[in-house]
């Protein structure tokens, strides 16, 4: 029953790309393994794990679309009968084998029958007749959605050549993108994919999946091709998207920007407080950071800024993370922490500094730092040589290397949140929670003060160095635990800070001295998500999906980035397909040009953040949002 996966052109084209992975150079992937890996990538766009089952026709339809197939309703019914309760990953692989992807030639042939002038265009009236009167009929609403698709319709005619090209390019690009995502996402790599397990060193051939009885009983009763009906590939292809809307924004290079953030004239007379913090990049790409509570005693004018913290001691060579964007959302606490009201965010900019000026009344405020994640990303370049952390002198005594001491000094600078040159127990515990997941209690802190250099019951920089030297001595020079600490703080094996971005917050008030305290360190909270969504809805441009007034795409732009938010006012969840392929000089926080998001009923969600790859050049944001069937 096995079919040569080499006949599956769309999947097999990815083999050369995957073979470049260092883990696979020694043993190039077989055709069979390429097929299964591509199946996994498609399956994991719908499910969190390939151990999950397909539990509905809609899920089967969506997973097959991501695998480059365009099943008709007849095809779906063939595999999902009244007796079917679920399908597993192995079943899915078998279906993908049987259902061949639509080729460009087949698509063009389907459309060409209606091209009476042989000019690449079909009249909307002729297209409507084909789709509503013959074969597997479409509704008028579905036809209208096709006619209204962006970029392939003009003057009552449908540009089917452009549609076919765009469709095939989108499919191939999407497959490449999800495969790249699968390669770099260590969280996905650790999953077991049905009966196919990633990373076998012996390179045993992947076993042929065992079909479930609900598929076997059909194999000898039907042929699975769509011969005889040239519309079979056209209909599901057209049905893939119900409607779409596009945004085009041209942004100038940063050299053309006007600095809009200015300090108040009398700021030297205002009272000021400062706190530091850090964005940390997790293994799964999630970003966590410190969060703060601020107290304003009386109504005041407030000037508030956030910027990356420069740790470089070399003049003219700033820290590499200064290009990471930073923002601060200010929310007022009303009756409880759960009831926070968005007041403002730092949208004005002067170089790497983002700020806000305005009046705040007395009360408690939450300050939630944010970064888009476009520039703070998992490092892809391999480190060839591991830095040395400790060494022994001729007497056998253990010492920290100069390079390691420099890294520890920078870490001390980052975790010294109030900038007084000392570590309090609260500050040290943020470090402990980050690196070990545990807190240091009062008794342990007392022991620390007895054995290491302290001042005013707080740990000095020298004491912090000695604490790490003691840890190295406890392990008899084995640096593995020290590397755990360094990796947790964002350092790579070359002692470069690549997966973290320290920042500093400055707050000025003209009537009272603000108070600020770090209270949490956590990933993007629901409060932050709500704050970003609300700010985009308040300040961005909105476009309604044609024919679906309850689905709205909001886009906000500042000089540095563009953020899009999808609002779903309907009673049902929706799946939106996003295509950034025609954007120029752009990067987004998801790392994919083409992807899909699911938006829950009566909700809003941040879809993507986009920034320029090269700030010194013009960048063009062109994005098509399509509602999937």
């Amino acid at each position: 029953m096995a079919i040569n996966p080499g006949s599956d052109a769309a999947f097999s084209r990815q083999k050369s790309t995957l073979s470049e992975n260092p883990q696979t150079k020694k043993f190039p992937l077989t055709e069979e393994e390429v097929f299964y890996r591509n199946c996994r990538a498609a399956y994991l766009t719908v499910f969190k794990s390939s151990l999950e089952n397909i539990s509905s026709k809609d899920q089967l339809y969506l997973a097959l679309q991501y695998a480059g197939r365009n099943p008709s309703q007849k095809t779906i019914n063939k595999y999902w009968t009244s007796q079917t309760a679920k399908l597993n990953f192995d079943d899915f692989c078998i279906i993908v084998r049987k259902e061949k992807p639509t080729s460009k030639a087949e698509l063009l042939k389907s459309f060409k029958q209606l091209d009476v002038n042989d000019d690449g265009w079909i009249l909307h009236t002729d297209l409507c007749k084909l789709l509503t009167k013959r074969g597997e009929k479409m509704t008028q609403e579905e036809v209208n959605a096709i006619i209204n698709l962006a970029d392939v319709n003009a003057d009552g005619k449908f540009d089917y050549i452009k549609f076919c090209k765009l469709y095939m390019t989108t499919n191939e690009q999407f497959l490449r993108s999800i495969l790249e995502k699968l390669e770099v996402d260590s969280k996905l790599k650790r999953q077991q994919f049905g009966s196919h397990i990633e990373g076998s060193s012996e390179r045993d051939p992947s076993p042929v999946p065992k079909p479930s009885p609900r598929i076997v009983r059909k194999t000898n009763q039907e042929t699975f091709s769509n011969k005889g009906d040239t519309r079979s590939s056209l209909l599901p292809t057209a049905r893939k998207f119900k409607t779409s809307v596009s945004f085009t924004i041209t942004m100038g290079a940063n050299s053309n920007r006007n600095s809009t953030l200015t300090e108040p004239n009398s700021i030297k007379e205002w009272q000021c407080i400062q706190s530091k913090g850090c964005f940390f990049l997790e293994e799964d790409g999630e970003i966590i950071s410190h969060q703060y509570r601020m107290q304003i005693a009386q109504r005041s004018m407030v000037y508030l800024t956030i910027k990356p913290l420069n740790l470089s001691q070399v003049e003219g060579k700033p820290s590499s993370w200064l290009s990471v964007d930073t923002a601060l959302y200010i929310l007022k606490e009303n009756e409880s922490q759960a009831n926070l009201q968005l007041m403002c965010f730092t949208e004005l900019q002067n170089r790497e500094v983002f700020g806000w000026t305005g009046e705040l009344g007395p009360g408690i405020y939450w300050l939630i730092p944010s970064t888009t994640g476009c520039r703070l990303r998992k490092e892809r370049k391999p480190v060839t040589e591991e830095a040395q952390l400790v060494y022994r002198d001729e007497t056998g005594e253990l010492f920290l290397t100069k390079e390691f001491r420099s890294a520890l000094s920078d870490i001390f600078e980052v975790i010294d949140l109030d900038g007084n040159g000392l570590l309090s127990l609260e500050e040290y515990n943020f470090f402990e929670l980050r690196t070990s997941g545990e807190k240091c209690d009062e008794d342990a802190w007392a022991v620390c003060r007895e054995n290491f250099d302290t001042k005013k019951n707080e740990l000095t920089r020298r004491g912090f160095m000695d604490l790490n030297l003691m840890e190295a001595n406890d392990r008899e020079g084995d640096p593995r635990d020290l590397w755990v600490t360094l990796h947790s703080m964002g350092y790579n094996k070359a002692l470069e800070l690549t997966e973290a971005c320290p920042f500093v917050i400055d707050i000025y008030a003209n009537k009272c001295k603000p108070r600020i305290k770090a209270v949490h360190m956590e990933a993007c909270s629901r409060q932050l998500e709500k704050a970003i969504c609300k700010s985009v809805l308040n300040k961005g441009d909105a476009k309604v999906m044609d024919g679906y007034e309850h689905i709205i795409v909001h886009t906000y732009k500042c000089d540095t980035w563009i953020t899009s938010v999808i609002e779903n006012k309907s009673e049902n969840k929706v799946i939106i397909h996003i295509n950034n392929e025609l954007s120029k000089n752009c990067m987004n926080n998801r790392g994919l040009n083409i992807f899909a998001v699911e938006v829950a009923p009566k909700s809003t969600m941040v879809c993507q953040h986009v920034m320029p790859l090269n700030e010194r050049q013009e960048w063009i944001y062109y994005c098509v949002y399509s509602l999937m069937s």
Side-chain angles (χ1 to χ4, degrees):
M1 202 171 78
I3 299 173
N4 178 14
S7 63
D8 192 337
F11 271 21
S12 296
R13 268 194 293 269
Q14 307 308 321
K15 180 181 178 182
S16 59
T17 302
L18 293 170
S19 297
E20 293 299 316
N21 187 293
Q23 294 179 340
T24 61
K25 279 184 178 179
K26 187 176 179 181
F27 303 99
L29 291 174
T30 66
E31 295 288 339
E32 188 82 354
E33 289 168 325
V34 170
F35 173 78
Y36 286 126
R37 179 170 291 195
N38 294 341
C39 283
R40 295 172 199 139
Y43 204 82
L44 288 171
T45 59
V46 182
F47 303 101
K48 292 182 180 179
S49 164
S50 60
L51 300 178
E52 290 185 38
N53 290 318
I54 299 172
S55 59
S56 70
K57 287 184 178 182
D58 289 343
Q59 289 179 343
L60 175 60
Y61 182 77
L62 191 60
L64 287 173
Q65 283 189 327
Y66 285 136
R69 275 58 176 166
N70 282 287
S72 65
Q73 193 58 50
K74 181 179 178 182
T75 301
I76 295 295
N77 291 339
K78 176 171 62 180
Y79 296 109
W80 195 280
T81 70
S82 57
Q83 288 80 39
T84 306
K86 61 185 178 181
L87 298 172
N88 61 30
F89 175 68
D90 291 338
D91 299 329
F92 173 73
C93 292
I94 292 172
I95 295 173
V96 172
R97 279 195 188 281
K98 294 180 181 301
E99 299 301 324
K100 296 304 172 189
T102 304
S103 69
K104 186 176 180 180
E106 289 172 328
L107 277 178
L108 287 171
K109 182 179 179 181
S110 299
F111 285 118
K112 204 169 182 65
Q113 296 178 12
L114 297 178
D115 184 3
V116 293
N117 296 321
D118 199 25
D119 60 359
W121 294 86
I122 299 174
L123 291 174
H124 284 171
T125 52
D126 293 339
L127 186 64
C128 183
K129 288 177 183 177
L130 171 75
L131 299 180
T132 60
K133 304 295 183 184
R134 298 164 59 186
E136 188 177 337
K137 300 178 182 63
M138 298 179 71
T139 66
Q140 188 61 50
E141 183 184 40
E142 289 174 324
V143 174
N144 290 341
I146 298 169
I147 291 173
N148 292 327
L149 282 173
D151 303 325
V152 293
N153 291 279
D155 303 323
K157 294 185 293 183
F158 177 69
D159 185 345
Y160 68 89
I161 295 178
K162 187 175 182 181
F163 174 81
C164 292
K165 181 180 179 181
L166 180 63
Y167 174 76
M168 299 305 296
T169 302
T170 298
N171 270 2
E172 292 184 10
Q173 176 63 32
F174 185 72
L175 179 57
R176 282 196 298 270
S177 298
I178 61 178
L179 285 170
E180 289 171 6
K181 184 72 173 175
L182 188 63
E183 284 294 302
V184 301
D185 194 333
S186 60
K187 192 175 184 181
L188 292 182
K189 282 185 179 182
R190 289 195 298 269
Q191 292 188 30
Q192 291 188 0
F193 303 99
S195 60
H196 317 293
I197 300 179
E198 192 84 39
S200 169
S201 59
E202 287 81 20
R203 301 310 310 263
D204 293 333
S206 296
V208 176
K210 297 177 182 180
S212 70
R214 50 190 170 273
I215 292 184
V216 171
R217 57 190 168 82
K218 289 237 173 218
T219 56
N220 294 323
Q221 299 172 20
E222 302 182 31
T223 56
F224 297 103
S225 65
N226 290 315
K227 295 177 181 178
D229 184 2
T230 57
R231 293 186 302 281
S232 60
S233 58
L234 163 61
L235 295 180
T237 298
R239 278 182 171 146
K240 187 172 186 176
F241 304 137
K242 290 183 176 180
T243 185
S244 64
V245 63
S246 63
F247 284 83
T248 305
I249 301 173
T250 301
M251 305 288 285
N254 65 354
S255 57
N256 298 325
R257 294 179 191 158
N258 295 317
S259 296
T260 53
L261 176 66
T262 55
E263 291 184 350
N265 293 329
S266 58
I267 195 168
K268 291 183 179 180
E269 302 171 7
W270 293 18
Q271 299 186 68
C272 175
I273 193 166
Q274 184 183 86
S275 185
K276 289 180 281 189
C278 194
F279 296 111
F280 295 104
L281 191 60
E282 297 284 66
E283 281 298 316
D284 60 0
E286 196 169 36
I287 295 172
I288 74 169
S289 75
H290 295 82
Q291 297 185 2
Y292 308 82
R293 289 182 78 190
M294 176 181 71
Q295 184 177 1
I296 301 291
Q298 66 183 98
R299 183 171 296 277
S300 302
M301 287 297 295
V302 175
Y303 175 65
L304 189 149
T305 66
I306 182 172
K307 66 178 180 179
L309 176 64
N310 186 16
L311 297 174
S312 174
Q313 304 297 318
V314 182
E315 188 175 350
K317 188 180 179 182
S319 300
S320 60
W321 56 85
L322 292 190
S323 63
V324 173
D325 58 284
T326 58
L328 200 59
Y329 288 81
I330 298 93
L331 297 87
K332 186 171 185 181
E333 184 178 308
N334 292 319
E335 298 174 356
S336 67
Q337 293 182 14
N339 185 19
L340 301 181
Q341 175 189 359
L342 175 66
M343 303 299 293
C344 53
F345 70 101
T346 53
E347 61 178 323
L348 301 180
Q349 179 187 6
N350 187 352
R351 297 189 178 180
E352 73 272 12
V353 183
F354 286 83
W356 175 85
T357 305
E359 188 177 63
L360 292 178
I364 302 296
Y365 296 85
W366 282 76
L367 306 183
I368 306 182
S370 174
T371 181
T372 62
C374 293
R375 298 216 168 104
L376 183 58
R377 321 176 68 146
K378 297 300 292 183
E379 187 181 34
R380 294 196 181 191
K381 66 173 184 178
V383 176
T384 55
E385 188 173 349
E386 181 178 304
Q388 186 178 353
L389 303 185
V390 296
Y391 69 95
R392 295 187 184 276
D393 66 5
E394 59 276 5
T395 67
E397 186 176 354
L398 197 67
F399 292 90
L400 306 181
T401 63
K402 179 182 177 181
E403 294 78 14
F404 185 33
R405 291 182 66 85
S406 177
L408 287 175
S409 182
D410 285 347
I411 289 174
F412 184 92
E413 198 68 33
V414 171
I415 63 179
D416 175 20
L417 300 182
D418 60 11
N420 71 345
L422 302 168
L423 295 183
S424 67
L425 175 58
E426 286 185 343
E427 290 171 329
Y428 183 75
N429 271 335
F430 278 115
F431 169 73
E432 279 292 297
L433 284 170
R434 177 64 196 160
T435 56
S436 70
E438 299 177 351
K439 280 188 174 184
C440 176
D441 59 24
E442 292 286 353
D443 292 339
W445 188 244
V447 173
C448 184
R449 293 200 308 268
E450 290 174 6
N451 290 277
F452 302 102
D453 188 45
T454 59
K455 185 177 180 180
K456 299 177 182 178
N457 291 324
E458 296 187 334
L459 193 64
T460 65
R461 192 182 301 261
R462 175 185 166 187
F464 182 67
M465 297 287 185
D466 290 342
L467 184 62
N468 282 273
L469 178 58
M470 182 199 73
E471 184 175 343
N473 273 302
D474 286 347
R475 301 293 183 271
E476 297 183 348
D478 187 337
R480 283 179 291 185
D481 283 354
L482 299 176
W483 277 117
V484 170
T485 296
L486 288 165
H487 290 323
S488 298
M489 295 300 294
Y491 285 82
N492 65 12
K493 288 289 187 179
L495 285 181
E496 300 167 327
L497 186 61
T498 57
E499 296 186 358
C501 173
F503 56 80
V504 59
I505 297 169
D506 289 290
I507 307 166
Y508 297 81
N510 70 339
K511 294 289 181 67
C512 64
K513 186 176 178 70
R515 295 171 61 188
I516 184 174
K517 181 180 181 180
V519 290
H520 294 305
M521 186 191 289
E522 59 183 45
C524 177
S525 64
R526 180 59 188 156
Q527 290 289 358
L528 177 57
E529 174 94 359
K530 286 168 63 177
I532 295 174
C533 287
K534 187 169 184 179
S535 65
V536 171
L537 265 61
N538 288 342
K539 295 177 175 288
D541 296 325
K543 286 189 179 182
V544 178
M545 287 279 187
D546 191 24
Y548 296 85
E549 67 276 5
H550 296 308
I551 303 170
I552 308 164
V553 181
H554 302 264
T555 302
Y556 166 79
K557 70 178 180 71
C558 63
D559 286 339
T560 308
W561 72 80
I562 293 169
T563 296
S564 70
V565 166
I566 299 175
E567 182 180 13
N568 178 17
K569 295 182 178 180
S570 73
E571 301 288 345
N572 303 303
K573 73 175 182 182
V574 296
I575 296 174
I576 306 295
H577 180 274
I578 294 94
N579 188 333
N580 296 295
E581 230 183 351
L582 298 181
S583 294
K584 304 294 183 185
N585 187 31
C586 288
M587 63 180 358
N588 67 48
N589 63 306
R590 293 179 177 268
L592 298 169
N593 281 331
I594 300 170
F595 59 93
V597 295
E598 182 179 288
V599 190
K602 300 288 185 180
S603 71
T604 57
M605 72 168 293
V606 177
C607 176
Q608 65 175 341
H609 303 287
V610 180
M611 292 185 72
L613 276 167
N614 185 340
E615 290 185 298
R616 296 181 178 84
Q617 297 177 1
E618 178 184 78
W619 51 297
I620 299 173
Y621 168 76
Y622 182 88
C623 184
V624 179
Y625 298 82
S626 302
L627 176 64
M628 299 191 71
S629 301

